[in-house]
Every structure is written in C-alpha cells, then in structure tokens.
DNA sequence: TAACGCATTGTTATATTATAACATTATTAT
DNA sequence: ATAATAATGTTATAATATAACAATGCGTTA
C-alpha cells in the first residue's frame, strides 16, 4: 500500500513558503509571478501546488475573492471547517478561530437528510481601521 | 431625489426568469447562451443583470462553484445572510432556510472588533441520493 | 417643457482565473 | 526489477469576468 504523502514536494514548498510569508491572501497569478525566480514557469505548476496545499489544509482558498491564504489555525489539519472575516473596504482577511462557532457548524444538521463533512464560511464587514475612517 | 429602483429592467427580468425556471444553479455563460434568443448578446449584459439581481437578493452566487441560483427563501430581501448545502457528487445545491442558524450567524461576534454585516456559508457533503449509491 | 442625474443598454476588446492533454521523471511498495 | 502513485514540465486553450466608451431611457426638479 502506498502511504499518504507526508512531506511537501519542491513546488509545494516554494508556493507554501511564499504564501506564508505574505501574511495575506494572494492571487494565483501573483504567486506565479513571484515564484518565477524559483523556477515555476507555468500557471499549472502553481495551481497544482495550491490544490495539494488546500487539500492538506496548509492553505485555504477565499472563495469570494479567488485568493489563497496560509492557514493560521494549527488545528486545520484538513480544509474541512473554515471561517474567515473579510473587510469589504481594505480586503483584509482573517481566519476565525472560534471553537464555539466551529462546534456549532460541524454539528449542524437540517432536515435535508444530508450529513455535512465540510463547510466554508465567509463573513463580510468593515474592519476596525476602515470603520473609523 | 431619485428613488431606489423598484422594478426590474428588461435584461434583469430576462435573466431572472431564466434562472428561476432552472431550479438549479447556472453558470453565467450558460445563461448567456440561453438568453441569446431574447437579445442578450454579450457576457456583460448577463453579468450586469446578475450583479443587480444578487444585490437585491433575487439571486445568490454559489462562490465555490461560480454559479448563480434563484433565491428560494422569501426573506432574503438582500443577499446578506446566505447558506447553502452542496452535494460534492451530483452538485445539487439547496438554500438552507434555518432561522436558528441565521440568527446564530447574524449575531456572531468575535474579538476582532469587526461588526459583520453579511455572511455566506457553504456546506459540503453527499446528498441523500448520492449517499445511497 | 427643459435640463439634470443616474441607471441601464449596447458593443468591442481584453483581463483574469483555471484546466486539458500529453510526455517525462521521481518516489515508494512489493 | 516491477508496478503503482505522485509530481513535474510544457504548450495550448477554456472558462470566468471586467474595462472603456458611446448611447438611450426614465424619473426629478427647475
Ligand atoms: Zn485554517
Ligand atoms: Zn478594512
Ligand atoms: Zn435567499
Ligand atoms: Zn448528490
């Protein structure tokens, strides 16, 4: 039996490293531009690395913005329960780490007969700074 | 003073009509293809209608899928509190109408000092049908 | 009625985001 | 060694969305 991957490949490391240093969500093509000096030449190389990193929870995708951000929440072993706050003015994004919220959503059930294995929640508003402008 | 728009324009009506009849999320270019017989020729005509319809809550965007679906929840006067369940196998999408959930999320506060005016939540899993395959 | 403000429309071109397809190389298990 | 799986490299193309500009329609108000 082939084991589940436990290490990161070369391209995955390069992309993760760049996204982690950014400390804010990045667009795929901005990542591409910035890692070209490291040898990644084509969009697919970035997207493939991102796909894997998202799958294993090192990176999350901000769906409403098509951006990618490093996970700040050490418990996100996989990207199956994510919540973000997004400022609609400055686009600052913060990963929400709130155990009550995650418990509530992970246990959520409705009458559809569907058992949810994953969720993504995006809150929008104005951050402190932008509110006081 | 110019009043807030209370009616739908021609293109907005055409697009909304098509999306409502579909009863499932549609992609923008599929909408475009299908309303070409009604005279809408360019992507922008569709996107502009969608933008407005989303703004007034008649249509919601499924962000993780880049699709658009008619609101099934008569209380969604504006698209500021949306929740969906998405089957990862057949892509069936249902708008969740659960007052406890919406109350919980609308009142959610964390320690970021941010007041949220809007959220979008997407649950993923397998629908009843797909679970029993 | 005329002038204004603003939403909408029409149109062409282009930007942005993401994947298809195929050949090759690397890694690990048996 | 052989096979299975994962990752890479590369070119081309698909899919999603917006820029820019000119024109029209419609309600407000002078
Ligand atoms: Zn995380
Ligand atoms: Zn802000
Ligand atoms: Zn709705
Ligand atoms: Zn299904």
């Amino acid at each position: 039996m082939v084991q589940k991957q436990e290490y990161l490949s070369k391209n995955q490391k390069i992309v993760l490293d760049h996204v982690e240093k950014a400390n804010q969500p990045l667009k795929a093509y901005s990542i591409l531009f910035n890692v070209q000096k490291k040898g990644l030449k084509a969009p697919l190389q970035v997207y493939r690395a991102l796909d894997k990193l998202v799958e294993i929870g090192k990176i999350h995708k901000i769906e409403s913005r098509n951006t990618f951000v490093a996970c700040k929440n050490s418990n996100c072993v996989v990207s199956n329960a994510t919540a973000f706050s997004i400022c609609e003015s400055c686009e600052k994004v913060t990963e929400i780490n709130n155990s009550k919220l995650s418990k509530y959503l992970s246990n959520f059930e409705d009458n559809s007969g569907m058992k949810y294995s994953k969720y993504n929640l995006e809150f929008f508003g104005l951050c402190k700074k932008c509110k006081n402008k």
Side-chain angles (χ1 to χ4, degrees), chain A:
Chain A
M1 193 193 56
V2 179
Q3 278 198 315
K4 193 185 162 188
Q5 187 192 359
E6 285 171 12
Y7 61 91
L8 295 180
S9 73
K10 177 181 132 252
N11 289 358
Q12 289 158 15
K13 269 182 213 147
I14 291 171
V15 169
L16 178 57
D17 190 53
H18 181 68
V19 175
E20 279 179 337
K21 279 179 178 153
N23 243 338
Q24 62 173 321
L26 298 177
K27 303 194 163 228
Y29 275 72
S30 132
I31 296 171
L32 172 59
F33 179 81
N34 282 284
V35 298
Q36 278 181 333
K37 62 192 74 123
K38 305 255 183 186
L40 282 83
K41 294 174 188 162
L44 251 196
Q45 295 177 294
V46 169
Y47 278 109
R48 288 200 281 226
L50 286 172
D51 281 353
K52 177 59 74 174
L53 291 164
V54 166
E55 190 189 322
I56 65 178
K58 294 286 190 184
I59 282 183
H60 303 306
K61 181 173 185 182
I62 311 298
E63 294 286 358
S64 65
R65 300 299 191 259
N66 297 321
T67 54
F68 299 86
V69 69
C71 176
K72 282 303 189 59
N73 180 344
S74 55
N75 353 2
C76 287
V77 183
V78 288
S79 296
N80 66 349
T82 50
F84 301 93
S85 83
I86 302 171
C87 174
E88 290 188 296
S89 170
C90 71
E91 295 293 323
K92 179 178 155 67
V93 169
T94 309
E95 184 166 0
I96 294 173
N97 186 354
N98 183 297
S99 58
K100 271 191 183 170
L101 176 66
S102 59
K103 209 170 279 175
Y104 183 88
L105 292 176
S106 295
N107 294 328
F108 180 78
E109 284 185 30
D110 59 10
N111 46 15
S112 71
M114 208 163 150
K115 174 65 190 151
Y116 302 119
S117 57
K118 206 166 123 186
Y119 68 78
N120 179 55
L121 170 60
E122 298 180 3
F123 280 109
F124 305 92
L126 292 178
C127 74
K128 242 179 182 170
K129 274 191 185 173
C130 293
K131 215 166 30 186
N132 298 326
K133 271 181 189 163

